[in-house]
Amino acid sequence: MPDREKESPEQLERLGRTKGAERAERIGQPETDAERRRRRAQFLRDLTEARELRDRVQPRRAKVARLRHAMRMRTFRW
């Protein structure tokens, strides 16, 4: 995307651009549990944000998906 130069520092932080040098220094070293949890939490936040955006952009598809999920849950046997 050509607009990468226009992104704010917060957006670059979210994209992991500012920590590239830090990661480059650690190549070959195992990541700590805290780093893995931090990356996973960020990924889950981004995933939730993307789902919310998709639901706003395609409300009919989101409603159908909710109804389909509800039907699956009602017919699920424990």
Side-chain angles (χ1 to χ4, degrees):
M1 288 182 224
D3 294 336
R4 288 283 183 220
E5 296 83 29
K6 297 177 184 177
E7 292 178 344
S8 69
E10 294 82 20
Q11 289 171 324
L12 291 173
E13 173 87 21
R14 278 186 52 211
L15 293 171
R17 304 280 189 243
T18 59
K19 296 182 181 178
E22 178 182 319
R23 283 191 198 135
E25 293 172 3
R26 295 193 42 148
I27 291 185
Q29 298 176 353
E31 67 179 348
T32 65
D33 285 342
E35 290 171 341
R36 187 185 63 79
R37 284 193 302 268
R38 194 175 306 114
R39 279 192 318 109
R40 183 175 186 274
Q42 182 63 50
F43 170 77
L44 292 175
R45 281 193 298 271
D46 291 344
L47 183 62
T48 302
E49 181 182 341
R51 284 183 178 151
E52 290 170 356
L53 175 64
R54 187 183 62 208
D55 290 349
R56 282 195 309 271
V57 172
Q58 300 175 335
R60 186 179 300 160
R61 185 175 290 182
K63 179 181 178 184
V64 169
R66 279 194 310 273
L67 293 173
R68 193 173 293 128
H69 179 71
M71 181 63 72
R72 271 197 315 268
M73 296 310 288
R74 279 196 302 265
T75 59
F76 183 76
R77 293 188 180 258
W78 293 95

